[in-house]
């Protein structure tokens, strides 16, 4: 077995009208994400990963310290991007959330407007490369957080991500140049697939289905 690059859940040009160009998607998915998959597959035998799920590898690498960082860099980014593609839609954005998710956002995060601002700020203030997240923490509450580079809330033990946005420059530079705040505003206003986020909340996070 080996890890594989899942196809996008929409055409590469499908998000262009929502602010993410076909050029960005083709570079990001076909080149960057594929590179993480290829590198991770190259580690399966030497790092003893055979038979382990992607989620197991991410969690173990996160707990393994500096020695496991090379694995986390690739496995974390593979997991992160699988989630990233799924939580966007050509019909995304808006303020109409499924009822159960809307109730959790209200009770745990102070409402949708506050969540959007906190989520955007998490992405803006992540120095250098990394990710901003909406997670379910150990107590079952929603929380906004961020991680550097290829790390994610599974690897840090902070919780289970149900929404993530990539703030590596390759995710936005073609369309927004150095305007990361504008990219994040566009993501939260026009791209998020709230139905998928609600489904991930209900099922307890992403199940990649991928095993080394």
């Amino acid at each position: 077995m080996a890890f594989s690059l899942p196809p996008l859940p929409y055409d590469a040009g499908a998000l262009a009208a929502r602010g993410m160009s076909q050029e960005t998607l083709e570079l990001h998915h076909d080149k960057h994400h594929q590179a993480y998959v290829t590198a991770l597959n190259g580690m399966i035998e030497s790092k003893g990963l055979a038979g382990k799920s992607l989620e197991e590898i991410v969690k173990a690498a996160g707990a393994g310290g500096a020695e496991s960082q090379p694995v986390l860099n690739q496995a974390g980014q593979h997991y992160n991007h699988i989630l990233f593609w799924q939580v966007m839609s050509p019909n995304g954005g808006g303020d109409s959330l499924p009822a159960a998710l809307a109730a959790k956002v209200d009770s745990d995060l102070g409402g949708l407007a506050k969540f959007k601002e906190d989520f955007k700020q998490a992405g803006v203030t992540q120095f250098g490369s990394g990710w901003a997240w909406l997670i379910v923490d150990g107590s079952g509450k929603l929380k906004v957080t961020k991680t550097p580079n290829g790390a994610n809330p599974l690897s840090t033990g902070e919780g289970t991500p149900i929404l993530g946005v990539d703030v590596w420059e390759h995710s936005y530079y073609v369309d927004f140049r150095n305007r990361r705040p504008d990219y994040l505003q566009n993501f939260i206003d026009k791209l998020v697939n709230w139905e998928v986020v609600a489904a991930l909340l209900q099922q307890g996070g992403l199940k990649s289905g991928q095993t080394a």
Side-chain angles (χ1 to χ4, degrees), residues 2-105:
F3 294 105
S4 60
L5 179 69
L8 290 170
Y10 31 73
D11 183 79
L15 305 183
R18 313 294 286 178
M20 186 172 287
S21 67
Q22 182 169 342
E23 181 182 5
T24 289
L25 270 178
E26 288 176 344
L27 285 168
H28 198 170
H29 175 266
D30 301 353
K31 304 299 184 183
H32 288 279
H33 190 176
Q34 179 64 67
Y36 301 129
V37 174
T38 301
L40 180 59
N41 282 334
M43 297 177 175
I44 289 175
E45 295 304 322
S46 64
K47 300 295 185 181
L49 307 179
K52 296 180 180 178
S53 71
L54 180 59
E55 289 81 359
E56 289 172 334
I57 292 169
V58 169
K59 291 177 182 179
E67 186 176 310
S68 297
Q69 192 64 47
V71 173
L72 178 60
N73 290 342
Q74 310 306 328
Q77 283 291 74
H78 184 31
Y79 178 94
N80 296 350
H81 283 85
I82 292 174
L83 178 66
F84 185 53
W85 309 132
Q86 291 188 17
V87 297
M88 293 189 289
S89 167
N91 303 307
D95 293 337
S96 180
L97 277 60
L101 176 62
K104 285 286 284 179
V105 168

Side-chain angles (χ1 to χ4, degrees), residues 163-182:
L163 175 65
V165 62
D166 191 345
V167 297
W168 288 61
E169 285 188 343
H170 61 242
S171 66
Y172 60 86
Y173 217 83
V174 169
D175 302 317
F176 293 92
R177 296 299 186 260
N178 64 333
R179 304 191 316 275
R180 187 190 287 186
D182 292 347

